[in-house]
Amino acid sequence: MRIISGKYKGRRFSPPADKWPTRPTTDFAKEALFNILNNLLDFEESSVLDLFGGTGSHCYEFISRGCTDVTYVDQLAPAVAFVKKTIESLGEANSIRIVQSDVFQFIHNSGASYDYIFAGPPYPLKNLDSIPDKIFAHKMLNEDGLFILEHNAQHDFSNHEHFSQMRKYGGTHFTFFE
């Protein structure tokens, strides 16, 4: 995996290969997504939440582009440890809040709101379809904010009241909610 743009452009990082419990967004899909986000967000002024953060790939991309208000949430200890180590190697500990927690508990208890929320849950997650409703019920998205949910073709959110658009990159689908 690599950081696509910004001050850490080209920097590569490799999560431990042995039984790694996450499914990182492919570089191809991530690059396509960030090409869209370049036109929608002011990275330096945005507050960002990365749910099911896994390797931290989205967080590094935001930090590389000047974002200093990033919150990463994942419950898996190896993933959290990897992100802490990677952030330390970048010297960016002040730009990120790392939370080891169940995402649904975090949503329920957080009380915070964000300009941009990204959720990249495991595709077979039984309650994946409930994530948008929970985000909006807990008022986690700021006015004029953007929430993007990564999923596969087995999920369709086109009838959701906050649906904006959906983009496909191979087997990766990004649904945009506003």
Side-chain angles (χ1 to χ4, degrees), residues 39-95:
N39 298 311
L40 299 176
L41 298 174
D42 179 349
F43 294 105
E44 294 177 2
E45 299 296 321
S46 295
S47 57
V48 171
L49 174 62
D50 186 6
L51 298 171
F52 304 96
T55 63
S57 177
H58 282 79
C59 296
Y60 312 141
E61 201 64 51
F62 271 94
I63 290 168
S64 182
R65 294 165 190 243
C67 186
T68 59
D69 186 3
V70 177
T71 301
Y72 162 96
V73 181
D74 203 295
Q75 72 177 3
L76 299 168
V80 172
F82 177 77
V83 171
K84 285 180 180 178
K85 180 180 173 188
T86 304
I87 286 297
E88 287 173 12
S89 77
L90 295 175
E92 293 286 355
N94 292 332
S95 298

Side-chain angles (χ1 to χ4, degrees), residues 20-22 50-56 72-84 98-107 120-122 125-127:
W20 188 245
T22 66
D50 186 6
L51 298 171
F52 304 96
T55 63
Y72 162 96
V73 181
D74 203 295
Q75 72 177 3
L76 299 168
V80 172
F82 177 77
V83 171
K84 285 180 180 178
I98 299 172
V99 179
Q100 183 174 353
S101 172
D102 172 81
V103 166
F104 295 100
Q105 287 179 347
F106 178 85
I107 291 170
L125 185 71
K126 289 181 176 144
N127 50 352

Side-chain angles (χ1 to χ4, degrees), residues 86-167:
T86 304
I87 286 297
E88 287 173 12
S89 77
L90 295 175
E92 293 286 355
N94 292 332
S95 298
I96 189 169
R97 175 177 170 231
I98 299 172
V99 179
Q100 183 174 353
S101 172
D102 172 81
V103 166
F104 295 100
Q105 287 179 347
F106 178 85
I107 291 170
H108 183 72
N109 297 324
S110 171
S113 62
Y114 303 87
D115 299 313
Y116 173 77
I117 300 172
F118 178 81
Y123 292 168
L125 185 71
K126 289 181 176 144
N127 50 352
L128 187 148
D129 290 339
S130 73
I131 295 170
D133 290 336
K134 292 183 184 309
I135 295 290
F136 288 101
H138 286 88
K139 297 178 172 51
M140 296 189 80
L141 195 61
N142 289 337
E143 189 174 330
D144 298 325
L146 177 63
F147 165 48
I148 297 178
L149 177 62
E150 179 181 346
H151 57 90
N152 60 15
Q154 295 176 340
H155 304 276
D156 179 11
F157 297 94
S158 59
N159 291 322
H160 193 278
E161 67 178 300
H162 295 283
F163 174 84
S164 172
Q165 63 177 298
M166 196 269 296
R167 301 284 181 108

